[in-house]
Amino acid sequence: VFDLPQHGLGFRARQDSIRAAFAEGPGLRYVPYKEVACEMSAGCAHSAYVSAGFEGTVYCSPGGYTPGKGWHTIKRKAWIDDDFAVLELIRGKDGKYDHSLGAVRCITNNGVIFEVGSFAMTDAQRLEMFYAERKPTKAKIKYRELSKDGTPFHTQVLALLP
């Protein structure tokens, strides 16, 4: 819980209500909000929260709030990006990517093989990459963390490189 918009109070009062309503206990921890005046301060606060082990930061604009996703809140997560050797381009299975790039099989420096099927590229770029004469040898991949066995977790291909 990071906000109680149904209370109809100002942001500070809502935060005080959250703190009073949810006593800390097993699995619960109150994370204090921090008001910042500029992008640099917001970046420093985000870095501090991530260093403390939190997944990321939720930025809220001052003033009113309406429930659900909207312009007034932005979730920022800490991502890691790295280059991995490409072992294979995998054809998409049934449906939209049947004759296009469906996934990339990669390997980490420690020999862990994994596949990524989420891409930060257009359908046309995926198709072009799949049928290109010169196949990529590296993939720039962003991920949230490594699993216990060293597999990148919550992955997305940002670019395929020669």
Side-chain angles (χ1 to χ4, degrees):
V1 176
F2 72 91
D3 204 350
L4 295 171
Q6 64 276 19
H7 278 219
L9 309 169
F11 181 75
R12 287 186 191 109
R14 293 194 311 263
Q15 289 297 305
D16 291 342
S17 294
I18 290 170
R19 183 175 210 142
F22 298 97
E24 292 190 26
L28 291 175
R29 188 163 113 196
Y30 177 76
V31 180
Y33 67 93
K34 180 168 184 65
E35 292 186 41
V36 296
C38 66
E39 185 178 343
M40 190 165 110
S41 296
C44 290
H46 174 73
S47 295
Y49 284 132
V50 170
S51 294
F54 295 101
E55 180 180 287
T57 306
V58 175
Y59 296 112
C60 298
S61 65
Y65 178 87
T66 55
K69 293 183 178 182
W71 62 269
H72 45 74
T73 57
I74 298 172
K75 187 179 205 178
R76 178 180 174 189
K77 291 186 175 185
W79 292 95
I80 303 164
D81 69 63
D82 207 348
D83 292 346
F84 296 94
V86 172
L87 297 177
E88 180 184 4
L89 299 181
I90 301 170
R91 181 184 183 137
K93 296 183 181 164
D94 300 326
K96 184 176 180 179
Y97 300 112
D98 186 30
H99 297 286
S100 184
L101 179 60
V104 177
R105 182 171 290 127
C106 298
I107 187 167
T108 68
N109 289 336
N110 294 331
V112 177
I113 296 173
F114 65 100
E115 292 180 10
V116 181
S118 174
F119 295 85
M121 49 181 76
T122 66
D123 292 347
Q125 290 169 321
R126 288 171 75 150
L127 187 64
E128 180 183 343
M129 191 60 65
F130 190 65
Y131 289 104
E133 294 215 10
R134 187 169 179 214
K135 300 297 182 193
T137 59
K138 292 188 293 185
K140 179 170 283 306
I141 297 174
K142 77 173 183 175
Y143 58 97
R144 285 272 304 123
E145 59 191 326
L146 294 175
S147 67
K148 289 180 183 177
D149 70 354
T151 303
F153 192 60
H154 290 298
T155 54
Q156 184 179 43
V157 176
L158 300 176
L160 292 169
L161 311 165

